[in-house]
Structure formats: C-alpha cells, structure tokens
Amino acid sequence: MQITDWLNTKLGIDIWERKYRHNNETFGQWLDRVSGGNQEIRQLIIQKKFLFGGRILANRGLQNEGRKISMSNCYVITPPEDSIESIFDCAKKLARTYSYGGGCGTDMSKLSPRGAKIGNAAKKTSGSVSFMGLYSLVTELIGMQGRRGALMLSIDCTHPDLEEFINIKSDLDKVTKANISVRIDDNFIEAVKQNKEWELSFTRKETNEVIKKTVNAKKLFRRLAEMNWDYAEPGMINWSRICNWSLLSGYDDFVFAGVNPCGEQPLPAGGSCLLGSINLSEFVINPFAANARFDFDEFKKTVKKGVIALNEVLHEGLPLHPLEEQRESVNNWRQIGLGICGWHDCLIKLGERYGSERSLQLGSLIAKCMINHAIESSANLTDTYGQYPKYNKESLFKSRFFQENITDEVKKIVEEKGLANGQLLTIAPTGSIGTMLGVSTGIEPIYKVDYIRKTESLHGEDTYYKVYTPIIEEYMELTNESTLPDFINCAMNLNYKERIEMQAVWQRYIDASISSTVNLPENTTIDDIEQLYMLAWERGLKGVTIYRNGCKRDGVLLDKNPDENNGLTWGTTLEATDDLIGRKKKIMTGCGSLHVQGWFDPANGKLMELYLSKGSRGGCNSFMVALSRTISAGLRTGLSFDYAIDQLKSAPICASYAVRTAIKKDTSSGNCCPAAIASALIEMQKDVFDELLDEEEISKNEIVVIEAKNKCPDCGAELKFYGGCHSCDCGYSACN
C-alpha cells in the first residue's frame, strides 16, 4: 500500500511527508513504526478508523536512534511560585520541554500583582503579567521541528492583575507566542448575573501584604467579551467545572494545576497526556442512504483497542519525558486522551443536521458508549499494568462524573479491578490529523463548503491551500445532486447556541475537556459573545474559545487567499507613480539610528515603495538598500502589506537590540531591525489612511444622505429619523 492509496489530497500528503514521515521511510515502514507492533492498531490506521496524536506519529521509535523526544503532545508545567528563582525555573522547564517537542501550559496566579512590595532593588514588582512576555519569548526561541512552540498562560478571576491580563493582547506586539485564558468560577458568574462588585485579592506570603481591588463583575465580564470580539482572546476556562467533573474530582490529594495549550487537557503539575482519536466518519453503515446507521459494535471494539494502544505508548514513553517532575506525575496518574474526529462527516453520512435534536441525541449515545467502554478497557488493563499508583477506590466512587455516567455493569468491573488510568477521554483539536485524513476536526462542524487554509509550519513560511471539504465532494459524487440539502450546514451559518449544545452533550461524558473553537461570522456582536460565554457556563462546558471572522487577530481558517486580493496576474508588476504620499520615520535600533521612508498609493493607501537608510551609525547601507528594493518589488507584484509585515516581525531576535533596550532603553518598538521597520510602516500606513479618510469626509456624508433617503440596505424597510440619525428598526443606522 502506498501513501497515495491512503491519502487522496495534496494537503494531506504534504502533512504526512513534512510532519510525520521520518527519513524518507515508506508508508509501510511508517505504519510499523507508529503502531509499535500492534497489528490491530496498524489495521485501524489503514482503515482510517483510529490515528495517534501528532507527537506519537512523528516521534515514536526515534528514541532508538538516540533522539531526545517525547510522545506526549502537551504538558502542564508546575506554576511559578512568587520568587525570581521560581519564575526563571519555570522558563527553564518550558525551554527543555519544547526541545523535546511538547507544548506547555502554566498558570500565573501565584505571582504577586503589579505594585506589590518586594525586598530587592526594584522595591515593587512589575506584576504577574509582565512575566508573560518572558514565557512567550522562550516559546519563540525554542523551536521544534515542523511546528512552533505552543504555550497556554492562565490567571485566576480573583487576581488583582486580572484586568491587565485581559487587555494584554490588545497590543499585537506583546505575548505573541501564547494563548491566554481566564479561570472563571461559579462565584464570579453569579456576581456577573447579579451585577455585584467583585473583589480581586492577593496575599504575598513573604511580606504578609494584602493587595485588594474591587471591580464590577458585570463590567469585567463585558470587557472579556469585548476583547474576545476584537482579538479572539482571552478564552474562558470554567475552573469550577474542571475541578468538579472528572474521574479525579473525589480525590482529596489531587489538584489540577493548569491546562495544555489548546485547553482540552486539565492536568496536575508535571502532567502530560498522550493523544489518539477515533474517526467517527468511518463507522457509518450505508452512508448517505435512507437506511444509514452508526456501527456501535465496531465502535465499541475500537474504543477498547484505542485504550490499549495508548497505554502501550504511555509505558513505552515513561522514561522519555524531559523532566523528572513529568516522569513522576505521568507514572502516578497515567493520563491518556482518547478522542474523536470526523463527527460532522459522520452526521452528514447519516443525513443529520449538525446541531439538530437528533444529532445531539446521537452524540450523547456515542459519548456515553465511549466512556463506559474506555473505563472497562482500562479496568481490564490492570491485569497487565496494575492500578495507577495513586488509585483509590473510595475517591473514585465519590466522583459525580463516575457516579452519574458509568453503568452498574462497568462499576462492578472497576470495583473488582480498579483502573489503569486516572484520565481517559479528551477531544483534542485534531487539526493536522483531521485535515490529513480529510475529515472534520474534533467535534467541530465543517468550517465552510470550501475555504482557504493557512499553514505556518509545513514549509517554514505561510502557505495557502484552497480546500474543498472532502465530505461535500463525496456526497455530490455519490448522490449526483447538484445542490446541497438543508441538513448540510457549516460553522459560518450554524446557530452558536446549537454549537454550544453539541459541545455540552459531549462534555458530559468526557472526563478531561474539549478543545473547540466557536467560529462566528463578522457581524457577531459583543452582546452575542457575552451570551455565548454565559450559555457555555450554564451548559457545563469546561472551556470555550471564540473566533469572530474579521477580528484583528489573523485566524488559521480564512475565507479568501490574501494573495487574491490584489487582483494581479502572476508576473505583473505595478508602476510606482510620481504622486505617491510619502512618510518618514526615524527608528533607533541596536546598532544606531535607521531612517524608514514609505511611499503610499493616494487612491487606496497601499504601500508601494520602501526606502531604508542608516544614520551616522546603524548597519550596512548596501544591505538596507537591497532589502528595501526587494520589499518594494514584492509589494508591486502582489505581496500583501500584512504578509510583508508578518515576515519582518518573524525575524529572529537581535542580541544587540536586546542589550541596548536593556541598557539605554531608547530603542524603537520591536526586538530587531526588521520588527522595528514593521512597526514604523504600520504607523505610517495608519497615518495615510487617516489623511485619506479626512479628505473624503464630505463625499462620505453625501453618501450617507443618499442612503438615508432610500430604504434600509439591510432589510428593505423604510428608514426612520431619530436620535440624530436615519435608522431602522432592524438595527441599521446610517451613522454607524
């Protein structure tokens, strides 16, 4: 069997070759390596019914070549304590874990807030948020083959730095290599609902200083929604649900320390998780037919085999974890993360609309089946591996999750044998493996019928693929229909309330958590996001991530290829005319001053020409001239401004820049010359746009008047004049 027999898309083959294939191994050799000799798992992979997580696919077996690798996708690093030593110990642990290929999460809640008294030369601390930049920098510096480092930083909703934490991503130059989330609890949500004041408090142990701040809970919640609307972060973690709804929630000696970068794995300090996913799309009998049904018998067998396979990897990898705290924690609790992908494909094959009542009922049945057979399999594995060292029957049976979800038959097996694993099910994003297989990822709905997907790691640069969703192609070919039926929906037209309900029915039976992004259209309001957050809490989600199309933070999934926006044929070069608008800015770099001149199109404000020159000191002038000419040529042959800026900002950190920043503190925004040039160009373009808008103000007002005399452009109703504006009952206003 060849890889082209297994995968039928260029993108899928690209992912396999560049992320998971090792040293030109054949597809058969790859199957042997990743299956570890387990022939049943090898066959399930061939059938596309099961696939390990990315680190197992990339790294399993490479330890035999002397490579320092991990097969865990993610870890939670012990949160830093309130001392400079612990803060930098955490940075060291992050660096070491990244070097083995693992993503990391940690929490900032134990660090003193800004302004707390300390006993060193600084007198007062810069606060917990200031050290997020350090951890983001470590993530940027320590690269991993084929992928960027991944980091999640969280903070508790009672920390006095909470407001600063929520706002940090409004500066697009700060904490650029970390996802951030706020740990909310039931008490905070109740304060929001009742519009009460909320106390932020921290006691510094060394000095006994108590720092308190009172804020309005509802206003703070609103700000969280505003930031998410604008920048897609912070996410929200329901910490109460995480602590109270798992197989470990009855253990007095167990504490979750944080979550992994994508949020699907709450873990103890030092904890990690091995991932594997069952492709639900392959369990439909008679797909697209009136008598299509889900094959529960085959699914049950696959769940058991998946638990066995992940335990094989867990014990094989115990000595391979980067840190001693990780080896100890993994052995004590033995978490695995069996999950799913291809859920929406499964529903389409069954003729069910994602989010319908029947789809929710089916999801509930499959998830309940999955947790019970996973626990049964783990119980039987105690014959091979014994119980996990921290296992305690009384504590397990106190867990509400265990009490309410597990059948009496399975409970009897557990009572007799115990469990081999402290954590069993999770739903990871499966972005790479789902896309490679050509199925919907995690429990997500398909994003669109067709779309552009950006990948940052396959080729060492941003690459854009036009993707036609394979399940749609398959449906059209098999049914010979020219239009799509009503039951085929996608993320862009799905009611977000149905989207939350779907995650809720799965979350009831998933003992870990679910990584899932709620994709929302551009016209989503801040009120909508507030309501979504509240609904997520009410329905028991452990976390929720929101991405509004058109927000200021670029997403992975895009509606259009940015290169198509310029409308240029390949090889065409625009002429730079004499009427360009010029802007000049002096920046200070690690080597001295540098002058940036940008020349912009007066019709649309696009950057057309760039000139760079050094001051009395400041680097090689010939190199600067060559760089500016190359960028100018790129901009006039179809290179987008945003893409050019992204490439400049992606340049490595400059040691001279860092030294001068620390000593003289006079450097311009950025961490190297290219990044500083990028910041200068952004300011220049904004200035040009503002000038062009001012010049067009009269014509804009005239357009508003013309619109006001006609019917509402949104709904067609007659416009009314009130509040100083021509407006409509549907919400349209000519003043907006």
Side-chain angles (χ1 to χ4, degrees), residues 74-123:
C74 48
Y75 294 84
V76 164
I77 302 297
T78 302
E81 299 289 338
D82 194 26
S83 70
I84 199 71
E85 293 82 8
S86 181
I87 290 168
F88 280 87
D89 277 345
C90 181
K92 180 176 67 175
K93 292 174 183 178
L94 289 171
R96 176 50 63 205
T97 305
Y98 292 147
S99 73
Y100 277 61
C104 298
T106 197
D107 185 71
M108 311 297 288
S109 303
K110 293 184 178 181
L111 300 184
S112 293
R114 181 180 294 276
K117 297 175 183 177
I118 53 179
N120 61 24
K123 295 184 180 180

Side-chain angles (χ1 to χ4, degrees), residues 604-650:
N604 54 33
K606 288 184 178 180
L607 179 64
M608 300 291 286
E609 289 275 5
L610 171 67
Y611 294 101
L612 304 173
S613 60
K614 72 182 185 71
S616 57
R617 302 175 63 189
C620 172
N621 200 57
S622 296
F623 177 77
M624 291 180 192
V625 170
L627 176 62
S628 58
R629 286 180 176 176
T630 302
I631 293 175
S632 299
L635 291 166
R636 297 203 308 277
T637 53
L639 179 69
S640 75
F641 178 80
D642 290 340
Y643 187 74
I645 293 299
D646 182 63
Q647 294 305 301
L648 289 169
K649 286 191 171 184
S650 297

